[in-house]
Amino acid sequence: MADHAARTHLATHEVTNQPLLGGDHDLLAEDIALRETLAREAPAWVATRLAPLAREAGRDTWQAIADEANRHPPELRLFDRHGRRLDEVHYTEAYHRLMHLACDGGWQAVAWEHEGNGGHQAHIAALYLLTQVEPGFCCPITMTHAAYPVLRHDNAILETWGPRLRANDYDPRALPANAKRAATFGMAMTEKQGGSDVRRNTTHATRQPDGSVRLTGHKWFCSAPMSDAFLTLAQDDAGLGCFLVPRFRPDGERNGIQLQRLKDKCGNRANASAEIEYADAWAHPIGEPGRGVATILEMVQQTRLDAATAPAGMMRQATLEAWRHVQGREAFGRRLADQPLMRRVIADLALETEASLALCLRTARAFDGATNDDHERALARLLPALAKFWHNKRSSAFMAEAMECLGGIGYVEEAPLARLYREAPVNSIWEGSGNVMCLDVMRVLARHPESIAALRQELALARGAHPDFDRALEVLERRLKATPDVLEAQARWLTQRLAQCLQAALLLRHAPAAVGETFCAARLGEEASPLFGVLPSHAPLDAILERIAP
């Protein structure tokens, strides 16, 4: 019996030809493109402030924490044991640790602490790093950040909520605002019958003698339903208005925000999304009556840039996973990292990552400059829609390609690529799907000619740097002269090409020639392909791959 037991525990094989797992990394020190872009676009204090976050976020333990937050998603708790309504969302401790990672550093508020002086660039760079830890929890960080410009429409609201939004702290407890130092914000706009067409919303606002409002209606998607307050849209006598709905009424009682269910989503598992019912919910009007869409668009512009940045962070994480794997794995007698086809795929992923990061941080600089510069203000109106559309259209195919670089290991849940693949579509849907982004671009072109003029100026700065770029600009200019109905029909091509041309211009002007010229040939040239890994035969792969990580 003893011999039999010994035999059953004998190892049947050795584990060889597998890359080493884990290890701590400095997400700023190891990201050449991020360091270069920050040095170019942002004040020096931004990189200095980001450095501790980059070291902490690169610790290997955070990947285990992120995995736990996804494996044990939020739970809805409607009632306490005595039958009183709670309408609360319960999270694992892993989720709360992720929230502390962001909020304790003030990354949800840094844009407003340093507005006009790199604040938006700091926020976007931090989001790019935090996404590499776990994309899901970044939703409430984005919402809290983006709520601030809407709060400034009302001094009383700003006085109450502003300091709590800006606090370098995170407090998940369900308590009235006056009992908390820090607060988070959510958003609830979407209804079943309208979706992106929010003017069809039916949630109704009834004015009270004291100036407050009571809301009655249903919201199909409520982002971050555990938040301390929500910005929402509802109809009243003046039309569609914007309202702030706190979790607790001014008298300290729970507000009439009833959580109907949590969405069972394809990805984004660590974050909760809910259907909610406003049951005579106390609310405070914010902004001009009947101008709710215009008011909340100030928030949406912010969230759209964040939704353009998340895929850039995910691309960076996926590229690193793929590159480290192929460096430690052999097939057919050679390291995968030395094989020509694999090198082309990884290099192409690296190009896309650099281009996306460059566009995100250039857009963030436009946000920072919009307060006192007409050119930057014009760019800030257009660039978020371009970046959000294109980065997210590339993201799903990107994650699939990176997953394939790992083979079967990439498809299992132990690898972060499976999680990233499921996460990829959500930022394309949030804050306006692809068609909505394209229609927004068309509206900007029609109503704000200064925005397309500003973009032309940016593109002209790289004219003459590469023949494929110059030819792409010529075609673009011809297409822009089309009639409005033809422009709308071609809106997807136009939005894609505007984004790609600006990415190319940024890389031609600021990245090494190996990056900028190869990007132009692969994205704008006659042999451009929708597939990753189709690069010119003469592409300087070594120079591109060396930039992925030291």
Side-chain angles (χ1 to χ4, degrees):
M1 292 293 292
D3 289 343
H4 174 73
R7 286 197 300 273
T8 60
H9 287 87
L10 288 174
T12 61
H13 66 284
E14 292 183 51
V15 178
T16 61
N17 192 26
Q18 292 287 354
L20 296 175
L21 288 177
D24 294 344
H25 299 275
D26 186 325
L27 299 186
L28 178 59
E30 296 184 6
D31 193 333
I32 296 170
L34 177 60
R35 294 203 317 271
E36 290 177 352
T37 308
L38 287 174
R40 176 179 76 246
E41 301 286 3
W45 70 264
V46 174
T48 301
R49 179 162 171 174
L50 282 168
L53 172 66
R55 290 191 294 270
E56 178 62 26
R59 289 175 53 218
D60 192 50
T61 53
W62 283 110
Q63 290 305 308
I65 293 168
D67 184 64
E68 181 182 345
N70 278 272
R71 290 180 182 275
H72 303 282
E75 297 178 356
L76 179 59
R77 295 188 176 177
L78 289 177
F79 302 95
D80 69 12
R81 61 178 180 158
H82 299 292
R84 289 182 287 262
R85 287 201 73 105
L86 289 176
D87 294 292
E88 293 180 2
V89 181
H90 175 74
Y91 295 84
T92 65
E93 182 58 30
Y95 175 87
H96 295 307
R97 290 182 67 180
L98 291 166
M99 289 294 290
H100 273 293
L101 175 65
C103 294
D104 290 0
W107 298 110
Q108 80 288 0
V110 67
W112 315 115
E113 294 171 4
H114 299 275
E115 193 169 6
N117 183 36
H120 285 282
Q121 293 158 85
H123 170 77
I124 287 304
L127 188 76
Y128 169 83
L129 297 175
L130 291 166
T131 298
Q132 296 174 55
V133 177
E134 160 52 32
F137 86 100
C138 293
C139 172
I141 303 304
T142 286
M143 296 292 170
T144 303
H145 150 78
Y148 195 79
V150 179
L151 303 187
R152 292 195 289 206
H153 282 270
D154 189 300
N155 288 334
I157 288 177
L158 186 63
E159 184 176 341
T160 299
W161 291 99
R164 293 169 174 83
L165 184 153
R166 296 194 306 269
N168 287 19
D169 197 3
Y170 166 66
D171 186 345
R173 297 175 298 167
L175 293 173
N178 60 13
K180 300 181 70 168
R181 179 174 177 266
T184 57
F185 269 74
M187 181 196 292
M189 293 196 294
T190 305
E191 297 184 10
K192 292 176 183 175
Q193 72 285 348
S196 295
D197 187 2
V198 294
R199 295 189 186 279
R200 300 184 67 178
N201 284 6
T202 60
T203 295
H204 187 68
T206 304
R207 302 270 172 171
Q208 305 297 307
D210 64 359
S212 69
V213 170
R214 298 294 188 273
L215 300 186
T216 303
H218 181 268
K219 295 292 179 180
W220 204 19
F221 278 89
C222 173
S223 298
M226 70 296 175
S227 300
D228 297 286
F230 306 89
L231 292 172
T232 197
L233 296 175
Q235 303 281 359
D236 64 7
D237 293 341
L240 191 63
C242 182
F243 301 88
L244 186 147
V245 191
R247 179 164 294 283
F248 287 82
R249 301 194 311 246
D251 62 7
E253 294 297 317
R254 291 176 185 266
N255 205 357
I257 308 171
Q258 297 181 355
L259 306 186
Q260 302 300 303
R261 63 169 175 163
L262 299 185
K263 299 289 193 179
D264 187 7
K265 296 171 292 185
C266 167
N268 198 243
R269 295 277 179 172
N271 177 49
S273 302
E275 290 184 33
I276 67 171
E277 196 81 23
Y278 289 133
D280 198 37
W282 188 96
H284 192 293
I286 189 166
E288 294 181 41
R291 296 272 297 163
V293 173
T295 301
I296 211 161
L297 274 178
E298 295 185 58
M299 182 179 194
V300 170
Q301 276 293 85
Q302 302 292 330
T303 57
R304 284 179 176 173
L305 177 53
D306 281 24
T309 302
M314 293 163 63
M315 288 177 189
R316 169 64 180 171
Q317 184 181 8
T319 301
L320 282 171
E321 286 288 332
W323 183 230
R324 287 168 180 157
H325 179 85
V326 302
Q327 287 179 308
R329 177 84 165 163
E330 291 184 3
F332 310 111
R334 284 188 296 175
R335 283 195 323 159
L336 286 172
D338 296 329
Q339 301 194 23
L341 282 178
M342 182 61 77
R343 289 169 64 78
R344 275 178 155 66
V345 170
I346 302 289
D348 209 357
L349 297 180
L351 288 175
E352 194 72 26
T353 302
E354 285 209 33
S356 298
L357 175 63
L359 181 49
C360 286
L361 281 173
R362 179 62 187 93
T363 307
R365 178 156 71 88
F367 275 34
D368 275 316
T371 54
N372 54 20
D373 186 295
D374 290 341
H375 177 78
E376 299 300 316
R377 188 178 306 112
L379 288 176
R381 186 176 284 115
L382 176 61
L383 298 193
L386 295 181
K388 181 184 181 303
F389 173 81
W390 187 236
H391 296 175
N392 284 290
K393 288 305 170 198
R394 294 295 272 170
S395 183
S396 292
F398 188 107
M399 298 309 155
E401 198 68 63
M403 183 185 294
E404 192 173 321
C405 293
L406 275 69
I409 289 176
Y411 195 65
V412 300
E413 289 296 333
E414 285 91 342
L417 285 169
R419 188 168 75 239
L420 292 176
Y421 181 74
R422 287 186 281 103
E423 187 78 20
V426 72
N427 284 286
S428 187
I429 297 169
W430 272 342
E431 313 311 321
S433 61
N435 283 350
V436 172
M437 292 301 96
C438 293
L439 292 173
D440 262 18
V441 170
M442 295 303 102
R443 278 191 286 270
V444 171
L445 297 185
R447 300 176 186 177
H448 300 281
E450 70 278 10
S451 290
I452 189 63
L455 182 56
R456 281 190 172 103
Q457 290 180 43
E458 293 290 310
L459 298 176
L461 294 173
R463 193 181 292 276
H466 194 278
D468 287 329
F469 178 75
D470 291 348
R471 282 191 290 269
L473 290 191
E474 292 172 6
V475 174
L476 188 59
E477 287 296 344
R478 288 199 300 269
R479 293 284 191 98
L480 284 169
K481 294 175 183 177
T483 60
D485 57 327
V486 173
L487 278 176
E488 183 169 333
Q490 297 179 346
R492 280 189 164 231
W493 181 91
L494 188 61
T495 303
Q496 169 189 333
R497 190 44 57 101
L498 286 170
Q500 286 181 309
C501 283
L502 183 52
Q503 287 178 329
L506 292 168
L507 295 181
L508 286 171
R509 291 173 58 205
H510 304 299
V515 173
E517 293 178 5
T518 307
F519 181 87
C520 285
R523 301 300 189 269
L524 305 176
E526 292 181 358
E527 297 183 6
S529 170
L531 296 177
F532 286 105
V534 182
L535 297 180
S537 59
H538 59 276
L541 301 183
D542 287 344
I544 297 169
L545 293 170
E546 286 170 359
R547 292 173 59 78
I548 295 176

